[in-house]
Amino acid sequence: MGIFMTKNIGLSGCSGAGKTLLAQTFEHGHRGEIGYCPSVAGAMFKRYGYSQSSQIMPEERIYLQERILDAQIDEYERCLAVYGGFISDRTPVDMATFTMLNTDAPNFRHAKAYAGRCIAVTKKFFPKVLVIPSLLPYDDDGSRPPYSKEGLEKYHGKLLGLLQEGEIPYETMPEVIDLQERVAWLSGVYYDAPRHGASSDGKET
């Protein structure tokens, strides 16, 4: 799998962390420089007759997640061709995290292989993953899993574990809630300006 030298931005984090709003707001303020590339997961779940909160058999989930990843790669390539660079409110590492946390023991080997593929795709399209912590009030719009503090913590831990295991550069957004402060931080990352936040080497940047 080849490497794209792009200025793509990939946001990762728990459901309800504010990734979509941040990505869309940033794109609006940088229109002409970067495009918005949405997640296809919701549309793919609907195509197969599920919602993202549905109870799905583990083997069916892995099959579905593989199809979602295929479709997301197509969407990344489309956005790259149209915009030259894009911001996305999910990365394949999010897909891997979601799958690993919803897989039983008999299907773990398949989920692990899927996670490896997700890591490779993430490395191909994103020079760095930006982790958005869960600080906002959880807005259950019906498409998200029910709120669980323990579940959010498990997700965040597994996400960081996969980023580290895959040796994917990442940076964690500081604990700010204000949207404009978040956008300012993201602009600093995009233009490689000095900023505060945790990086993948564990040091403050």
Side-chain angles (χ1 to χ4, degrees), residues 135-180:
L135 302 171
L136 304 178
Y138 194 81
D139 179 17
D140 186 356
D141 60 3
S143 66
R144 297 188 174 111
Y147 174 78
S148 165
K149 182 179 179 181
E150 181 183 4
L152 294 178
E153 290 173 348
K154 282 184 177 180
Y155 185 99
H156 187 73
K158 175 62 74 175
L159 173 67
L160 294 183
L162 287 172
L163 289 169
Q164 293 162 4
E165 177 185 327
E167 299 182 338
I168 298 171
Y170 71 90
E171 188 168 335
T172 301
M173 187 185 73
E175 295 189 355
V176 295
I177 295 177
D178 181 77
L179 180 59
Q180 293 311 312

Side-chain angles (χ1 to χ4, degrees), residues 28-159:
H28 182 76
H30 295 77
R31 194 157 291 169
E33 293 181 58
I34 195 167
Y36 171 63
C37 192
S39 167
V40 302
M44 292 296 288
F45 270 95
K46 288 180 181 178
R47 178 183 296 181
Y48 284 90
Y50 298 111
S51 73
Q52 294 189 60
S53 58
S54 296
Q55 295 296 317
I56 306 174
M57 294 296 292
E59 59 273 18
E60 293 178 14
R61 180 176 294 282
I62 292 173
Y63 173 83
L64 177 58
Q65 290 293 145
E66 289 280 7
R67 304 290 76 75
I68 292 172
L69 182 57
D70 290 339
Q72 192 66 65
I73 291 170
D74 289 343
E75 185 66 7
Y76 287 158
E77 291 177 342
R78 184 193 70 80
C79 290
L80 199 59
V82 172
Y83 304 119
F86 60 81
I87 182 168
S88 183
D89 55 4
R90 302 288 191 285
T91 71
V93 178
D94 288 288
M95 302 179 199
T97 301
F98 183 76
T99 302
M100 295 289 286
L101 291 175
N102 289 279
T103 299
D104 59 1
N107 289 282
F108 183 80
R109 180 172 59 86
H110 300 292
K112 190 72 174 173
Y114 172 73
R117 185 175 174 224
C118 288
I119 287 170
V121 173
T122 301
K123 285 183 167 182
K124 176 177 179 178
F125 286 98
F126 301 102
K128 178 185 283 188
V129 169
L130 305 180
V131 179
I132 311 303
S134 293
L135 302 171
L136 304 178
Y138 194 81
D139 179 17
D140 186 356
D141 60 3
S143 66
R144 297 188 174 111
Y147 174 78
S148 165
K149 182 179 179 181
E150 181 183 4
L152 294 178
E153 290 173 348
K154 282 184 177 180
Y155 185 99
H156 187 73
K158 175 62 74 175
L159 173 67

